[in-house]
Protein backbone atom coordinates (compact mmCIF):
# COMPACT_ATOMS: atom_id res chain seq x y z
CA UNK A 1 0.00 0.00 0.00
CA UNK A 2 1.36 3.39 -1.02
CA UNK A 3 1.05 5.79 1.92
CA UNK A 4 -0.26 9.34 1.66
CA UNK A 5 3.22 10.49 2.72
CA UNK A 6 4.80 8.79 -0.31
CA UNK A 7 2.13 10.23 -2.59
CA UNK A 8 2.71 13.77 -1.34
CA UNK A 9 6.50 13.54 -1.73
CA UNK A 10 6.21 11.93 -5.17
CA UNK A 11 3.90 14.68 -6.43
CA UNK A 12 6.39 17.50 -5.76
CA UNK A 13 9.55 18.78 -7.46
CA UNK A 14 12.53 16.76 -6.18
CA UNK A 15 15.42 18.93 -7.35
CA UNK A 16 17.88 20.07 -4.70
CA UNK A 17 17.38 23.66 -5.87
CA UNK A 18 13.68 23.41 -6.75
CA UNK A 19 12.73 26.24 -4.38
CA UNK A 20 14.27 28.68 -1.93
CA UNK A 21 13.61 26.43 1.07
CA UNK A 22 15.48 23.52 -0.51
CA UNK A 23 18.41 25.74 -1.51
CA UNK A 24 18.83 27.18 2.00
CA UNK A 25 18.43 23.82 3.69
CA UNK A 26 20.84 21.92 1.46
CA UNK A 27 23.49 24.63 1.74
CA UNK A 28 23.22 24.55 5.54
CA UNK A 29 23.43 20.75 5.58
CA UNK A 30 26.91 21.07 4.04
CA UNK A 31 28.11 22.10 7.52
CA UNK A 32 27.14 18.66 8.83
CA UNK A 33 28.79 17.02 5.79
CA UNK A 34 32.13 18.48 6.92
CA UNK A 35 32.31 15.92 9.74
CA UNK A 36 33.01 13.14 7.26
CA UNK A 37 35.71 15.30 5.64
CA UNK A 38 37.57 15.37 8.96
CA UNK A 39 37.74 11.57 9.27
CA UNK A 40 38.97 11.17 5.70
CA UNK A 41 41.62 13.84 6.21
CA UNK A 42 43.06 11.96 9.18
CA UNK A 43 43.52 8.65 7.36
CA UNK A 44 45.14 10.14 4.28
CA UNK A 45 47.33 12.51 6.29
CA UNK A 46 48.82 9.61 8.25
CA UNK A 47 49.39 7.84 4.95
CA UNK A 48 51.17 10.91 3.59
CA UNK A 49 53.25 11.53 6.70
CA UNK A 50 54.80 8.08 6.33
CA UNK A 51 56.26 9.25 3.02
CA UNK A 52 57.78 12.44 4.51
CA UNK A 53 61.44 12.15 5.43
CA UNK A 54 61.28 14.75 8.21
CA UNK A 55 58.37 12.98 9.93
CA UNK A 56 60.17 9.65 9.71
CA UNK A 57 63.40 11.15 11.11
CA UNK A 58 61.65 13.10 13.89
CA UNK A 59 59.90 10.00 15.24
CA UNK A 60 62.65 7.46 14.59
CA UNK A 61 61.21 5.74 11.49
CA UNK A 62 58.36 3.85 13.22
CA UNK A 63 57.54 0.41 11.85
CA UNK A 64 55.49 -2.65 12.84
CA UNK A 65 53.65 -2.35 16.15
CA UNK A 66 54.92 1.20 16.83
CA UNK A 67 53.52 2.40 13.50
CA UNK A 68 50.33 0.53 14.33
CA UNK A 69 49.98 2.47 17.59
CA UNK A 70 50.49 5.79 15.77
CA UNK A 71 47.45 5.01 13.62
CA UNK A 72 45.16 3.02 15.90
CA UNK A 73 45.37 5.45 18.84
CA UNK A 74 42.83 7.64 17.02
CA UNK A 75 40.36 4.74 17.18
CA UNK A 76 41.23 4.20 20.85
CA UNK A 77 40.17 7.80 21.47
CA UNK A 78 36.90 7.12 19.65
CA UNK A 79 36.33 4.10 21.85
CA UNK A 80 37.00 6.11 25.01
CA UNK A 81 34.34 8.66 24.04
CA UNK A 82 31.61 6.02 23.74
CA UNK A 83 29.69 7.03 26.92
CA UNK A 84 29.47 10.63 25.69
CA UNK A 85 28.67 10.20 22.00
CA UNK A 86 24.92 9.62 22.06
CA UNK A 87 24.50 11.50 25.34
CA UNK A 88 25.73 14.77 23.86
CA UNK A 89 23.49 14.49 20.78
CA UNK A 90 20.43 13.33 22.74
CA UNK A 91 20.74 15.60 25.76
CA UNK A 92 21.79 18.88 24.13
CA UNK A 93 20.69 18.46 20.52
CA UNK A 94 22.37 17.39 17.32
CA UNK A 95 23.99 20.80 16.70
CA UNK A 96 25.56 21.02 20.16
CA UNK A 97 26.80 17.44 19.79
CA UNK A 98 28.62 18.41 16.61
CA UNK A 99 30.04 21.53 18.28
CA UNK A 100 31.39 19.67 21.32
CA UNK A 101 33.13 17.18 19.07
CA UNK A 102 34.54 19.94 16.86
CA UNK A 103 36.08 21.79 19.84
CA UNK A 104 37.81 18.64 21.14
CA UNK A 105 39.04 17.74 17.65
CA UNK A 106 40.47 21.24 17.21
CA UNK A 107 42.40 20.97 20.50
CA UNK A 108 43.85 17.64 19.36
CA UNK A 109 44.93 19.07 16.00
CA UNK A 110 46.80 21.94 17.67
CA UNK A 111 48.58 19.54 20.03
CA UNK A 112 49.48 17.19 17.17
CA UNK A 113 50.96 19.99 15.11
CA UNK A 114 52.98 21.19 18.12
CA UNK A 115 54.10 17.68 19.19
CA UNK A 116 57.60 17.56 20.74
CA UNK A 117 57.91 13.80 21.05
CA UNK A 118 56.21 10.48 20.30
CA UNK A 119 54.15 10.58 23.49
CA UNK A 120 52.70 14.01 22.73
CA UNK A 121 51.91 13.05 19.14
CA UNK A 122 50.13 9.87 20.23
CA UNK A 123 48.19 11.66 22.99
CA UNK A 124 47.08 14.36 20.55
CA UNK A 125 45.80 11.74 18.12
CA UNK A 126 43.87 10.09 20.95
CA UNK A 127 42.21 13.42 21.82
CA UNK A 128 41.35 13.94 18.16
CA UNK A 129 39.71 10.53 18.03
CA UNK A 130 37.69 11.36 21.16
CA UNK A 131 36.33 14.53 19.52
CA UNK A 132 35.79 13.00 16.07
CA UNK A 133 33.57 10.25 17.51
CA UNK A 134 31.26 12.71 19.30
CA UNK A 135 31.08 14.86 16.18
CA UNK A 136 30.34 12.03 13.74
CA UNK A 137 27.67 10.57 15.99
CA UNK A 138 25.62 13.77 15.88
CA UNK A 139 26.30 14.88 12.28
CA UNK A 140 24.71 12.11 10.18
CA UNK A 141 21.74 11.85 12.54
CA UNK A 142 21.17 15.60 12.14
CA UNK A 143 21.54 15.30 8.38
CA UNK A 144 19.05 12.48 7.95
CA UNK A 145 16.52 13.92 10.40
CA UNK A 146 16.57 17.42 8.88
CA UNK A 147 16.86 16.78 5.13
CA UNK A 148 13.82 16.87 2.85
CA UNK A 149 12.42 13.29 2.52
CA UNK A 150 13.28 12.85 -1.17
CA UNK A 151 16.85 14.09 -0.53
CA UNK A 152 17.67 12.02 2.57
CA UNK A 153 19.18 8.99 0.88
CA UNK A 154 21.52 10.82 -1.52
CA UNK A 155 22.54 13.51 1.01
CA UNK A 156 23.36 11.00 3.73
CA UNK A 157 25.17 8.83 1.20
CA UNK A 158 27.12 11.91 0.13
CA UNK A 159 28.05 12.45 3.79
CA UNK A 160 30.11 9.29 3.91
CA UNK A 161 31.41 9.84 0.39
CA UNK A 162 32.91 13.19 1.46
CA UNK A 163 35.37 11.14 3.49
CA UNK A 164 37.22 11.10 0.17
CA UNK A 165 37.24 14.91 -0.02
CA UNK A 166 39.11 15.09 3.27
CA UNK A 167 41.37 12.30 2.11
CA UNK A 168 42.04 14.13 -1.17
CA UNK A 169 42.85 17.38 0.63
CA UNK A 170 45.30 15.68 3.00
CA UNK A 171 47.02 13.73 0.22
CA UNK A 172 47.79 16.83 -1.85
CA UNK A 173 48.63 18.98 1.17
CA UNK A 174 51.28 16.43 2.21
CA UNK A 175 52.43 16.32 -1.42
CA UNK A 176 52.84 20.09 -1.33
CA UNK A 177 54.66 20.20 2.01
CA UNK A 178 57.02 17.45 0.80
CA UNK A 179 59.26 20.20 -0.56
CA UNK A 180 59.58 21.97 2.83
CA UNK A 181 62.96 21.01 4.23
CA UNK A 182 62.14 21.11 7.93
CA UNK A 183 59.63 19.77 10.46
CA UNK A 184 56.87 21.99 9.14
CA UNK A 185 56.55 19.54 6.25
CA UNK A 186 54.49 17.41 8.69
CA UNK A 187 53.36 20.06 11.20
CA UNK A 188 51.44 22.12 8.61
CA UNK A 189 49.22 19.18 7.52
CA UNK A 190 48.58 18.45 11.22
CA UNK A 191 47.44 22.00 11.94
CA UNK A 192 45.30 22.17 8.81
CA UNK A 193 43.34 19.15 10.00
CA UNK A 194 41.60 21.53 12.41
CA UNK A 195 40.25 23.74 9.61
CA UNK A 196 37.05 21.69 9.28
CA UNK A 197 36.31 22.19 13.00
CA UNK A 198 36.80 25.95 12.70
CA UNK A 199 34.31 26.11 9.80
CA UNK A 200 31.74 24.06 11.71
CA UNK A 201 32.05 26.14 14.86
CA UNK A 202 31.57 29.37 12.91
CA UNK A 203 28.38 28.26 11.15
CA UNK A 204 26.75 25.56 13.31
CA UNK A 205 24.46 27.79 15.30
CA UNK A 206 23.02 29.39 12.18
CA UNK A 207 21.52 25.96 11.42
CA UNK A 208 18.03 24.90 12.58
CA UNK A 209 17.86 22.06 15.09
CA UNK A 210 16.63 18.65 13.92
CA UNK A 211 12.81 18.72 13.85
CA UNK A 212 12.72 15.15 15.11
CA UNK A 213 14.86 16.04 18.13
CA UNK A 214 12.66 19.10 18.78
CA UNK A 215 9.50 16.99 18.76
CA UNK A 216 11.09 14.33 20.96
CA UNK A 217 11.82 17.06 23.53
CA UNK A 218 8.46 18.84 23.37
CA UNK A 219 9.37 21.79 21.13
CA UNK A 220 6.51 21.24 18.71
CA UNK A 221 6.18 24.78 17.37
CA UNK A 222 9.90 25.07 16.65
CA UNK A 223 9.75 21.76 14.76
CA UNK A 224 6.76 22.99 12.74
CA UNK A 225 8.59 26.23 11.93
CA UNK A 226 11.62 24.31 10.62
CA UNK A 227 9.51 22.04 8.41
CA UNK A 228 7.38 24.89 7.09
CA UNK A 229 10.38 27.03 6.20
CA UNK A 230 12.56 24.38 4.60
CA UNK A 231 10.36 21.44 3.53
CA UNK A 232 7.28 23.47 2.48
CA UNK A 233 9.10 26.60 1.25
CA UNK A 234 7.25 28.76 3.81
CA UNK A 235 3.74 27.41 3.13
CA UNK A 236 2.25 26.76 6.58
CA UNK A 237 -0.87 25.20 4.98
CA UNK A 238 1.14 22.51 3.16
CA UNK A 239 -0.34 19.10 4.15
CA UNK A 240 3.13 17.52 3.99
CA UNK A 241 4.19 19.43 7.11
CA UNK A 242 1.20 18.26 9.09
CA UNK A 243 1.74 14.70 7.92
CA UNK A 244 5.46 14.78 8.75
CA UNK A 245 4.73 16.08 12.26
CA UNK A 246 2.00 13.47 12.75
CA UNK A 247 4.18 10.62 11.52
CA UNK A 248 7.13 11.61 13.73
CA UNK A 249 4.83 11.91 16.76
CA UNK A 250 3.29 8.51 16.03
CA UNK A 251 6.73 6.95 15.72
CA UNK A 252 7.81 8.52 19.03
CA UNK A 253 4.64 7.16 20.67
CA UNK A 254 5.30 3.65 19.29
CA UNK A 255 8.93 3.79 20.50
CA UNK A 256 7.81 4.78 23.98
CA UNK A 257 5.12 2.10 24.08
CA UNK A 258 7.62 -0.56 23.11
CA UNK A 259 10.54 0.60 25.22
CA UNK A 260 8.80 2.45 28.10
CA UNK A 261 12.03 4.19 29.09
CA UNK A 262 15.12 4.55 26.94
CA UNK A 263 18.58 3.48 28.08
CA UNK A 264 21.52 1.60 26.65
CA UNK A 265 19.72 -1.59 27.67
CA UNK A 266 17.02 -0.62 25.15
CA UNK A 267 19.45 -1.58 22.37
CA UNK A 268 19.08 -5.22 23.48
CA UNK A 269 15.67 -5.17 25.20
CA UNK A 270 13.57 -6.64 22.39
CA UNK A 271 14.34 -9.12 19.66
CA UNK A 272 13.79 -6.37 17.09
CA UNK A 273 16.28 -4.02 18.77
CA UNK A 274 18.78 -6.83 19.25
CA UNK A 275 18.60 -7.55 15.52
CA UNK A 276 19.10 -3.86 14.78
CA UNK A 277 22.13 -3.73 17.09
CA UNK A 278 23.75 -6.81 15.55
CA UNK A 279 23.22 -5.42 12.04
CA UNK A 280 24.68 -2.05 13.01
CA UNK A 281 27.72 -3.71 14.59
CA UNK A 282 28.25 -5.81 11.49
CA UNK A 283 28.05 -2.74 9.24
CA UNK A 284 30.64 -0.95 11.40
CA UNK A 285 33.03 -3.90 11.46
CA UNK A 286 32.61 -4.88 7.80
CA UNK A 287 33.04 -1.31 6.56
CA UNK A 288 36.50 -1.17 8.17
CA UNK A 289 37.76 -4.64 7.31
CA UNK A 290 37.21 -4.96 3.57
CA UNK A 291 40.60 -3.59 2.60
CA UNK A 292 39.87 0.12 2.55
CA UNK A 293 41.66 0.63 5.86
CA UNK A 294 44.75 -1.06 4.42
CA UNK A 295 45.05 1.44 1.58
CA UNK A 296 43.87 4.35 3.76
CA UNK A 297 46.58 4.07 6.41
CA UNK A 298 49.30 1.88 4.88
CA UNK A 299 49.41 2.65 1.19
CA UNK A 300 53.11 3.49 1.42
CA UNK A 301 53.86 0.02 2.85
CA UNK A 302 51.89 -1.65 0.06
CA UNK A 303 53.57 0.43 -2.62
CA UNK A 304 57.03 -0.36 -1.23
CA UNK A 305 56.15 -4.08 -1.30
CA UNK A 306 55.52 -3.89 -5.09
CA UNK A 307 58.50 -1.74 -6.01
CA UNK A 308 57.20 1.85 -5.73
CA UNK A 309 59.76 3.13 -3.21
CA UNK A 310 60.22 6.79 -4.19
CA UNK A 311 58.51 9.13 -1.68
CA UNK A 312 57.31 11.62 -4.30
CA UNK A 313 55.95 8.79 -6.43
CA UNK A 314 54.06 7.39 -3.41
CA UNK A 315 52.55 10.79 -2.62
CA UNK A 316 51.50 11.23 -6.26
CA UNK A 317 49.78 7.83 -6.34
CA UNK A 318 48.07 8.63 -3.05
CA UNK A 319 46.80 11.95 -4.41
CA UNK A 320 45.48 10.38 -7.63
CA UNK A 321 43.81 7.56 -5.66
CA UNK A 322 42.01 10.02 -3.38
CA UNK A 323 40.81 12.16 -6.31
CA UNK A 324 39.55 9.02 -8.03
CA UNK A 325 37.81 7.92 -4.82
CA UNK A 326 36.12 11.30 -4.41
CA UNK A 327 34.67 11.25 -7.94
CA UNK A 328 33.42 7.68 -7.48
CA UNK A 329 32.01 8.51 -4.05
CA UNK A 330 29.99 11.47 -5.33
CA UNK A 331 28.63 9.42 -8.24
CA UNK A 332 27.73 6.60 -5.85
CA UNK A 333 25.91 9.01 -3.53
CA UNK A 334 23.89 10.52 -6.39
CA UNK A 335 22.67 7.17 -7.75
CA UNK A 336 22.16 5.37 -4.42
CA UNK A 337 18.37 5.84 -4.44
CA UNK A 338 18.01 4.24 -7.88
CA UNK A 339 19.01 0.76 -6.68
CA UNK A 340 17.91 -1.49 -3.81
CA UNK A 341 20.18 -1.35 -0.76
CA UNK A 342 20.77 -5.11 -0.80
CA UNK A 343 21.80 -5.07 -4.45
CA UNK A 344 24.45 -2.40 -3.81
CA UNK A 345 25.76 -4.08 -0.64
CA UNK A 346 26.09 -7.43 -2.42
CA UNK A 347 27.64 -5.91 -5.54
CA UNK A 348 30.23 -4.05 -3.47
CA UNK A 349 31.04 -7.00 -1.20
CA UNK A 350 31.32 -9.67 -3.90
CA UNK A 351 33.37 -7.31 -6.06
CA UNK A 352 35.81 -6.76 -3.19
CA UNK A 353 36.03 -10.51 -2.54
CA UNK A 354 36.96 -11.31 -6.15
CA UNK A 355 39.45 -8.41 -6.31
CA UNK A 356 41.24 -9.56 -3.16
CA UNK A 357 41.70 -13.02 -4.66
CA UNK A 358 43.46 -11.41 -7.63
CA UNK A 359 45.41 -9.07 -5.31
CA UNK A 360 46.70 -11.95 -3.17
CA UNK A 361 47.82 -13.92 -6.23
CA UNK A 362 49.61 -10.95 -7.82
CA UNK A 363 51.24 -9.87 -4.53
CA UNK A 364 52.58 -13.40 -4.03
CA UNK A 365 53.90 -13.44 -7.61
CA UNK A 366 55.70 -10.12 -7.21
CA UNK A 367 57.27 -10.98 -3.87
CA UNK A 368 58.56 -14.29 -5.23
CA UNK A 369 59.68 -13.18 -8.71
CA UNK A 370 59.76 -9.33 -8.70
CA UNK A 371 57.58 -9.47 -11.81
CA UNK A 372 56.80 -5.84 -12.70
CA UNK A 373 53.48 -6.76 -14.34
CA UNK A 374 52.32 -8.41 -11.11
CA UNK A 375 53.22 -5.23 -9.21
CA UNK A 376 51.21 -3.13 -11.62
CA UNK A 377 48.29 -5.55 -11.23
CA UNK A 378 48.36 -5.00 -7.46
CA UNK A 379 48.30 -1.25 -8.06
CA UNK A 380 45.28 -1.74 -10.33
CA UNK A 381 43.57 -3.80 -7.60
CA UNK A 382 43.98 -0.88 -5.17
CA UNK A 383 42.03 1.35 -7.55
CA UNK A 384 39.43 -1.36 -8.23
CA UNK A 385 38.85 -1.77 -4.48
CA UNK A 386 38.01 1.95 -4.37
CA UNK A 387 35.46 1.42 -7.14
CA UNK A 388 33.70 -1.40 -5.31
CA UNK A 389 33.67 0.60 -2.07
CA UNK A 390 32.00 3.54 -3.83
CA UNK A 391 29.44 1.20 -5.39
CA UNK A 392 27.97 0.23 -2.04
CA UNK A 393 29.67 0.43 1.31
CA UNK A 394 30.86 4.03 1.16
CA UNK A 395 27.50 5.67 0.38
CA UNK A 396 25.32 3.19 2.30
CA UNK A 397 26.89 2.37 5.65
CA UNK A 398 25.67 5.43 7.57
CA UNK A 399 22.38 5.68 5.64
CA UNK A 400 21.53 2.06 6.34
CA UNK A 401 22.27 2.26 10.06
CA UNK A 402 20.14 5.35 10.63
CA UNK A 403 17.30 4.06 8.45
CA UNK A 404 16.74 1.00 10.63
CA UNK A 405 16.80 2.91 13.94
CA UNK A 406 13.74 4.41 15.67
CA UNK A 407 14.02 8.00 16.93
CA UNK A 408 14.43 7.10 20.61
CA UNK A 409 17.63 5.10 20.06
CA UNK A 410 18.90 6.68 16.85
CA UNK A 411 21.86 8.50 18.43
CA UNK A 412 22.69 5.53 20.65
CA UNK A 413 22.54 3.24 17.65
CA UNK A 414 24.91 5.42 15.68
CA UNK A 415 27.22 5.50 18.70
CA UNK A 416 27.22 1.68 18.62
CA UNK A 417 28.08 1.86 14.92
CA UNK A 418 30.94 4.30 15.64
CA UNK A 419 32.28 2.07 18.40
CA UNK A 420 32.17 -0.94 16.07
CA UNK A 421 34.13 1.13 13.56
CA UNK A 422 36.61 2.17 16.28
CA UNK A 423 37.20 -1.34 17.64
CA UNK A 424 37.66 -2.87 14.20
CA UNK A 425 39.85 0.13 13.32
CA UNK A 426 42.07 -0.48 16.36
CA UNK A 427 42.51 -4.13 15.46
CA UNK A 428 43.04 -3.51 11.75
CA UNK A 429 45.28 -0.46 12.03
CA UNK A 430 47.49 -2.18 14.59
CA UNK A 431 47.66 -5.61 12.96
CA UNK A 432 48.13 -4.67 9.30
CA UNK A 433 51.75 -3.40 9.57
CA UNK A 434 52.58 -6.31 11.88
CA UNK A 435 51.07 -8.81 9.42
CA UNK A 436 52.76 -7.26 6.39
CA UNK A 437 56.12 -7.39 8.20
CA UNK A 438 55.52 -10.95 9.41
CA UNK A 439 53.63 -12.89 6.73
CA UNK A 440 53.94 -10.55 3.72
CA UNK A 441 51.61 -11.57 0.85
CA UNK A 442 49.74 -14.06 3.04
CA UNK A 443 48.14 -11.01 4.69
CA UNK A 444 45.83 -10.83 1.69
CA UNK A 445 44.88 -14.51 1.99
CA UNK A 446 43.56 -13.64 5.45
CA UNK A 447 41.52 -10.85 3.86
CA UNK A 448 40.11 -13.24 1.24
CA UNK A 449 38.88 -15.62 3.95
CA UNK A 450 37.35 -12.75 5.93
CA UNK A 451 35.69 -11.32 2.82
CA UNK A 452 33.97 -14.66 2.21
CA UNK A 453 32.37 -14.40 5.67
CA UNK A 454 31.19 -10.85 4.89
CA UNK A 455 29.69 -12.00 1.57
CA UNK A 456 27.63 -14.69 3.33
CA UNK A 457 26.41 -12.43 6.16
CA UNK A 458 25.36 -9.63 3.82
CA UNK A 459 23.64 -12.01 1.40
CA UNK A 460 21.57 -13.80 4.02
CA UNK A 461 21.05 -11.24 6.81
CA UNK A 462 20.71 -7.69 5.42
CA UNK A 463 17.06 -6.63 4.87
CA UNK A 464 15.94 -4.14 2.22
CA UNK A 465 15.15 -0.58 3.42
CA UNK A 466 14.79 1.51 0.26
CA UNK A 467 11.59 3.42 -0.42
CA UNK A 468 10.28 3.85 3.13
CA UNK A 469 10.08 6.89 5.39
CA UNK A 470 12.44 6.96 8.38
CA UNK A 471 9.64 6.05 10.74
CA UNK A 472 8.34 3.21 8.57
CA UNK A 473 11.81 1.80 8.01
CA UNK A 474 12.72 1.81 11.69
CA UNK A 475 9.37 0.18 12.53
CA UNK A 476 9.91 -2.57 9.95
CA UNK A 477 11.79 -4.64 12.51
CA UNK A 478 8.84 -4.52 14.89
CA UNK A 479 6.44 -6.05 12.35
CA UNK A 480 4.43 -5.02 9.30
CA UNK A 481 1.47 -4.09 11.51
CA UNK A 482 3.55 -1.43 13.25
CA UNK A 483 4.61 0.02 9.89
CA UNK A 484 1.00 0.24 8.74
CA UNK A 485 -0.15 1.64 12.08
CA UNK A 486 2.39 4.49 12.02
CA UNK A 487 1.46 5.46 8.46
CA UNK A 488 -2.28 5.11 9.08
CA UNK A 489 -2.31 6.96 12.41
CA UNK A 490 -0.17 9.75 11.00
CA UNK A 491 -2.52 10.17 8.05
CA UNK A 492 -5.48 10.14 10.43
CA UNK A 493 -3.88 12.75 12.68
CA UNK A 494 -3.19 14.93 9.67
CA UNK A 495 -6.75 14.46 8.37
CA UNK A 496 -5.56 12.72 5.20
CA UNK A 497 -6.60 9.11 5.79
CA UNK A 498 -9.69 7.43 4.42
CA UNK A 499 -11.03 4.47 6.46
CA UNK A 500 -10.76 1.06 4.86
CA UNK A 501 -10.54 -2.57 5.84
CA UNK A 502 -6.76 -2.73 5.48
CA UNK A 503 -6.25 0.16 7.91
CA UNK A 504 -8.63 -1.38 10.46
CA UNK A 505 -6.80 -4.69 10.28
CA UNK A 506 -3.45 -2.93 10.80
CA UNK A 507 -4.86 -1.10 13.79
CA UNK A 508 -6.24 -4.29 15.30
CA UNK A 509 -3.03 -6.25 14.87
CA UNK A 510 -0.68 -3.47 16.03
CA UNK A 511 -1.45 -3.75 19.74
CA UNK A 512 -0.60 -7.47 20.03
CA UNK A 513 2.60 -6.86 18.07
CA UNK A 514 3.61 -4.08 20.46
CA UNK A 515 2.88 -6.26 23.45
CA UNK A 516 4.86 -9.12 22.00
CA UNK A 517 8.01 -7.08 21.32
Amino acid sequence: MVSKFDELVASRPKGYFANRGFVLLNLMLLIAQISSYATGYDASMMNGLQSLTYWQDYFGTPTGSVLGVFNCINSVGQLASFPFQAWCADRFGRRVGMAIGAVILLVGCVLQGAAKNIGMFIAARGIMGFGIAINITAAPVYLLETAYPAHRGPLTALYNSLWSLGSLAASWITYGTFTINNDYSWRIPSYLQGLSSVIQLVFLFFLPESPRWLLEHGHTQRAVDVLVKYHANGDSADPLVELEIAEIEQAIAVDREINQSVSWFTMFKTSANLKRTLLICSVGVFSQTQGGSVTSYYLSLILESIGYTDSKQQLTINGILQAYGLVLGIIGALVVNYFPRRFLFNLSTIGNFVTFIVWAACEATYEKTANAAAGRAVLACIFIISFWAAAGWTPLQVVYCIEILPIAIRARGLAVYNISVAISGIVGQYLVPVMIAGIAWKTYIVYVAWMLIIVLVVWFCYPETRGMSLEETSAMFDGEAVVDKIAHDAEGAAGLASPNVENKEAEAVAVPVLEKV
Side-chain angles (χ1 to χ4, degrees), residues 277-291:
T277 302
L278 292 175
L279 278 173
I280 289 166
C281 288
S282 73
V283 172
V285 172
F286 293 167
S287 68
Q288 298 302 300
T289 54
Q290 294 197 55

Side-chain angles (χ1 to χ4, degrees), residues 159-181:
Y159 166 84
N160 215 51
S161 300
L162 287 182
W163 187 98
S164 296
L165 180 61
S167 188
L168 174 67
S171 65
W172 287 106
I173 286 170
T174 51
Y175 179 88
T177 60
F178 173 78
T179 58
I180 299 175
N181 295 317

Side-chain angles (χ1 to χ4, degrees), residues 333-349:
L334 294 177
V335 303
V336 71
N337 270 3
Y338 293 96
F339 300 95
R341 309 297 197 227
R342 277 181 50 80
F343 170 78
L344 293 177
F345 270 130
N346 282 304
L347 175 69
S348 180
T349 307

Side-chain angles (χ1 to χ4, degrees), residues 345-362:
F345 270 130
N346 282 304
L347 175 69
S348 180
T349 307
I350 294 171
N352 268 337
F353 173 63
V354 173
T355 304
F356 260 106
I357 292 174
V358 176
W359 186 339
C362 293

Side-chain angles (χ1 to χ4, degrees), residues 353 444-454:
F353 173 63
Y444 307 103
I445 295 294
V446 175
Y447 269 94
V448 169
W450 176 245
M451 283 300 307
L452 178 58
I453 294 173
I454 298 177

Side-chain angles (χ1 to χ4, degrees), residues 430-475:
Y430 179 80
L431 286 181
V432 166
V434 175
M435 291 171 65
I436 290 177
I439 61 174
W441 66 269
K442 297 182 182 68
T443 299
Y444 307 103
I445 295 294
V446 175
Y447 269 94
V448 169
W450 176 245
M451 283 300 307
L452 178 58
I453 294 173
I454 298 177
V455 167
L456 295 174
V457 172
V458 171
W459 185 272
F460 289 107
C461 300
Y462 279 35
E464 183 56 59
T465 61
R466 187 180 68 140
M468 302 175 75
S469 73
L470 284 182
E471 285 64 44
E472 291 173 335
T473 303
S474 63

Side-chain angles (χ1 to χ4, degrees), residues 262-467:
V262 178
S263 66
W264 283 108
F265 179 68
T266 306
M267 300 297 300
F268 312 95
K269 186 177 180 180
T270 67
S271 59
N273 281 356
L274 178 60
K275 183 177 180 180
R276 288 182 177 104
T277 302
L278 292 175
L279 278 173
I280 289 166
C281 288
S282 73
V283 172
V285 172
F286 293 167
S287 68
Q288 298 302 300
T289 54
Q290 294 197 55
S293 60
V294 179
T295 56
S296 295
Y297 285 92
Y298 299 110
L299 180 62
S300 62
L301 290 182
I302 297 169
L303 293 176
E304 286 178 4
S305 74
I306 55 175
Y308 296 89
T309 57
D310 179 71
S311 293
K312 188 173 183 179
Q313 188 179 39
Q314 290 178 4
L315 290 167
T316 302
I317 292 172
N318 186 31
I320 294 171
L321 179 63
Q322 304 315 323
Y324 169 76
L326 176 61
V327 172
L328 290 178
I330 292 174
I331 293 172
L334 294 177
V335 303
V336 71
N337 270 3
Y338 293 96
F339 300 95
R341 309 297 197 227
R342 277 181 50 80
F343 170 78
L344 293 177
F345 270 130
N346 282 304
L347 175 69
S348 180
T349 307
I350 294 171
N352 268 337
F353 173 63
V354 173
T355 304
F356 260 106
I357 292 174
V358 176
W359 186 339
C362 293
E363 183 78 29
T365 301
Y366 183 86
E367 291 185 16
K368 292 176 181 179
T369 66
N371 184 292
R376 290 192 295 271
V378 171
L379 183 60
C381 286
I382 293 171
F383 281 81
I384 294 170
I385 288 288
S386 292
F387 172 82
W388 292 126
W393 282 93
T394 297
L396 280 182
Q397 55 188 281
V398 174
V399 176
Y400 193 73
C401 288
I402 300 177
E403 281 181 341
I404 66 176
L405 288 165
I407 295 171
I409 59 171
R410 194 164 285 154
R412 283 181 170 86
L414 199 63
V416 169
Y417 160 77
N418 287 333
I419 287 306
S420 301
V421 168
I423 293 174
S424 53
I426 291 169
V427 174
Q429 291 158 19
Y430 179 80
L431 286 181
V432 166
V434 175
M435 291 171 65
I436 290 177
I439 61 174
W441 66 269
K442 297 182 182 68
T443 299
Y444 307 103
I445 295 294
V446 175
Y447 269 94
V448 169
W450 176 245
M451 283 300 307
L452 178 58
I453 294 173
I454 298 177
V455 167
L456 295 174
V457 172
V458 171
W459 185 272
F460 289 107
C461 300
Y462 279 35
E464 183 56 59
T465 61
R466 187 180 68 140

